[in-house]
Amino acid sequence: MTMAVRRREGAYRVYLAVAVGLIAVAPVVRMLFLALLEPASVGWLTSPDFLEQLRVLVAAVGPVGMLVGTVRGPALRTPFATVTLGSNHLPRKLTLRGPFLKSLIAAAAVSAAVVCLPGAALVVGLGAPPLSVVACAVAAVAVASLGVVSALLGQVLVGPRVWACAVLLGVWGASPFGPGQWFAAAWAGLVGDASVGITGPVLLVAAAVAVLAGVPGLLDRLRGDALLLQAARRESASVAIATGELAGAAAMYRERPTTGRRLSAVVGGPRVLGMLVRDAVGAMRTPQRTVLGALGLAVGAVLLGLATVPSGAPELPGAVTTTGAIAGIAAVASVLMYLALGSFADGFRHAADAAVGAAVFGTPVGEQFLLHAVFPVALVVLVVGALVAISGGGPLPILVGLALVAVRAFDAARGHLPPLLLTPMPSEVGDLSVVARLAWQFDGVLLSVALGLGLALPWLAGAPALSVATLVVATSLLALATAARLRQGRG
C-alpha cells in the first residue's frame, strides 16, 4: 500500500511539473527565444563584450557558491533526519549523499537549460553547429558542479577561512587558467571555429571530476551542530513561506553578528551622529553581509549607469541600445540596489519594532526613521558617488539609490499579512487573492522597478529636472505611506 501511494504521489508530481511547464514556463521560454533571435541579440551574443561578461560571471560561481554554502549548503536534510542520522554509526558520506546529489542534479539541469536557450537561438539565427551547443551545455554542467562543491566546502569551513578560500577561488576563476576562461573558450567555439571550443569543456569536465572525487571526504567532515543549525533555518523559513511571511523567511538566513563585539555603539554628541555610529557598528558586526551589500549596490549602480548614458550607448552591445532593453536593465539594476540596501536597513526594522511595542525610547518613531536613514543615505552617497566620480557618469544612480532608501523604510513598516488578503476574491479569471498577496509581499520590488524606470527614463530623454521632481514626490508619498503603515500596526 505504501509503495502504491508513493507511486501515485510521484505520478502526480510529474503531472504537476509538466502542467506548470506547459502553462507557465513554456510561453516565457518561447518569448525569450524569439527575443534572442533578434539581430541585436545575436550581435550581442557573438560580441567580445559578451565573452568577457561570461568569463566574469563564471569566475564568480566558485566564491559566491562558497559564501552561499555558509548559510545553506547542498548537503542538508530535515532537522529530525539530521539528528537521527547524525547520531548513528553510518558515515555522513552515505547519509548525506542523497541531498547532495539532488542539489547537484538540480544545479546542473538549470545551468544546461540556461545555456541551451541562447545556444539554440544561435543555431537557428546564425547557423552555429549543434555539437558546439552540446559542448557548451556540458561545460555549463561542469561549472555547476564546481559551484555546488564550492558550496559544500563553504558548508564545511567556518570563520575567516571561508573568505580566504572564496578570494582564492575568485582569483583562480578569473585567471587565464581558470573556469571563466575555459567557459569563454567553449562559447567562442560556438560562435566561431568549433575546433577552438573543445579545449574549454574538456578542462572544465576534468576539473569537475577532480573536485567531485573529494566530495565523500567533505561530507564526512560536516559538523553536526552546523548541519542542525542550517536544517532548523530551512524548516523555519519553509514555515514562514507557507504562511505568507517572506520577510520572516529572509530573516532566518540573515548573518549573525560575528565581529566587532568590543566596539562601542553608544557615543555622545548629536543624535544624528550617535545613530550613524550605532548603525555603522551594527553593519561592521556582520562583515559578510555588509560587503555583499556594498558590492550589490555598486553593481546595480554600474548597470544603471551603463544603461542610461546616451554617449556610451553606441559602445555597448546592441541588445542594450533599444528602449525596451534599457528599461529592462534599469529595472534589474534598481531591484539589485534595493536588495543590496537591505544590508543597511536594520535601523528601519528596529524603529518599526519599537513603534508597535512599548514606548521605551524618548525619540518619536518618525524621528527614529529619519535618524536611521542617515546611514544608508551615507552609503549610497559614498559607494555610488565614488563610482560616478570615477566613471565620470551622471548622478542618476545616486538619485535612484536615495529613492530606494525610502522604499526600504516603507518595507520595514510592513507588519504581518493583513487578514483581509486571506479572504477569497472570486472573479472571471479565478481567485485574485493570490495575486493580492503576491503584490503585498513584493511591493518593495514593484516599487523599486517603478521608481527606477520613473527616474531613469526621463533622465535618458533629456529631462533631469523631471527625474529630480519624481524623486521628491515619490519620497514624500512613501514617507506618508510609511507613517500610515505604522499607525495601522499600532492599531
Side-chain angles (χ1 to χ4, degrees), residues 137-197:
V138 172
V141 170
V143 171
S145 302
L146 294 175
V148 174
V149 176
S150 299
L152 179 61
L153 184 59
Q155 195 175 3
V156 172
L157 300 177
V158 293
R161 292 184 298 171
V162 176
W163 281 95
C165 290
V167 171
L168 292 177
L169 280 179
V171 172
W172 173 58
S175 69
F177 308 100
Q181 186 63 34
W182 296 341
F183 191 84
W187 190 265
L190 173 63
V191 299
D193 186 3
S195 60
V196 177

Side-chain angles (χ1 to χ4, degrees), residues 21-436:
L22 292 176
I23 296 173
V25 179
V28 176
V29 172
R30 180 179 180 273
M31 180 185 65
L32 292 175
F33 182 74
L34 294 177
L36 291 173
L37 286 178
E38 295 292 331
S41 299
V42 173
W44 173 49
L45 293 173
T46 56
S47 66
D49 293 328
F50 184 74
L51 285 178
E52 183 63 22
Q53 294 163 9
L54 275 181
R55 190 179 71 84
V56 174
L57 181 64
V58 174
V61 169
V64 171
M66 180 167 291
L67 295 179
V68 170
T70 60
V71 293
R72 206 290 189 194
L76 204 59
R77 291 188 177 274
T78 63
F80 175 77
T82 301
V83 174
T84 303
L85 296 176
S87 59
N88 58 24
H89 65 284
L90 296 175
R92 290 198 169 98
K93 65 183 177 183
L94 296 179
T95 58
L96 297 177
R97 180 175 57 189
F100 175 81
L101 289 178
K102 289 181 180 179
S103 301
L104 182 63
I105 293 173
V110 171
S111 301
V114 169
V115 169
C116 285
L117 183 61
L122 291 178
V123 171
V124 175
L126 194 64
L131 289 179
S132 296
V133 179
V134 175
C136 287
V138 172
V141 170
V143 171
S145 302
L146 294 175
V148 174
V149 176
S150 299
L152 179 61
L153 184 59
Q155 195 175 3
V156 172
L157 300 177
V158 293
R161 292 184 298 171
V162 176
W163 281 95
C165 290
V167 171
L168 292 177
L169 280 179
V171 172
W172 173 58
S175 69
F177 308 100
Q181 186 63 34
W182 296 341
F183 191 84
W187 190 265
L190 173 63
V191 299
D193 186 3
S195 60
V196 177
I198 193 61
T199 305
V202 170
L203 292 175
L204 282 171
V205 169
V209 171
V211 297
L212 287 174
V215 167
L218 291 176
L219 292 176
D220 281 337
R221 292 186 59 187
L222 287 170
R223 304 186 322 277
D225 56 343
L227 287 172
L228 188 59
L229 176 61
Q230 290 196 5
R233 282 183 179 178
R234 186 183 68 171
E235 187 174 57
S236 300
S238 300
V239 172
I241 292 174
T243 56
E245 295 291 343
L246 297 184
M252 299 299 172
Y253 290 100
R254 196 168 294 152
E255 183 186 3
R256 302 296 190 267
T258 56
T259 60
R261 296 270 185 179
R262 296 183 179 181
L263 294 176
S264 177
V266 180
V267 296
R271 285 186 174 182
V272 175
L273 179 60
M275 196 68 76
L276 178 62
V277 171
R278 294 175 198 174
D279 290 340
V281 171
M284 292 175 63
R285 290 175 177 174
T286 54
Q288 177 176 315
R289 184 163 166 256
T290 301
V291 171
L292 292 179
L295 288 177
L297 196 62
V299 172
V302 169
L303 288 177
L304 192 62
L306 290 176
T308 56
V309 177
S311 61
E315 302 175 1
L316 296 176
V320 297
T321 58
T322 62
T323 303
I326 289 175
I329 294 178
V332 172
S334 301
V335 173
L336 182 58
M337 294 177 71
Y338 164 78
L339 296 176
L341 283 171
S343 303
F344 315 113
D346 287 339
F348 291 143
R349 286 186 281 268
H350 177 267
D353 292 339
V356 299
V360 296
F361 297 100
T363 306
V365 176
E367 186 177 346
Q368 287 188 49
F369 267 84
L370 290 176
L371 292 175
H372 282 298
V374 175
F375 180 61
V377 166
L379 261 295
V380 169
V381 173
L382 291 176
V383 176
V384 181
L387 288 173
V388 169
I390 294 173
S391 62
L396 175 64
I398 300 179
L399 299 181
V400 174
L402 295 177
L404 295 180
V405 171
V407 177
R408 269 296 172 187
F410 175 72
D411 183 74
R414 175 193 306 275
H416 296 290
L417 182 70
L420 181 63
L421 296 180
L422 297 175
T423 58
M425 300 179 185
S427 68
E428 293 80 0
V429 295
D431 186 7
L432 295 181
S433 62
V434 177
V435 179

Side-chain angles (χ1 to χ4, degrees), residues 398-404 451 454-455 465-476:
I398 300 179
L399 299 181
V400 174
L402 295 177
L404 295 180
L451 282 176
L455 294 173
L466 182 58
S467 296
V468 175
T470 302
L471 171 65
V472 174
V473 173
T475 51
S476 301

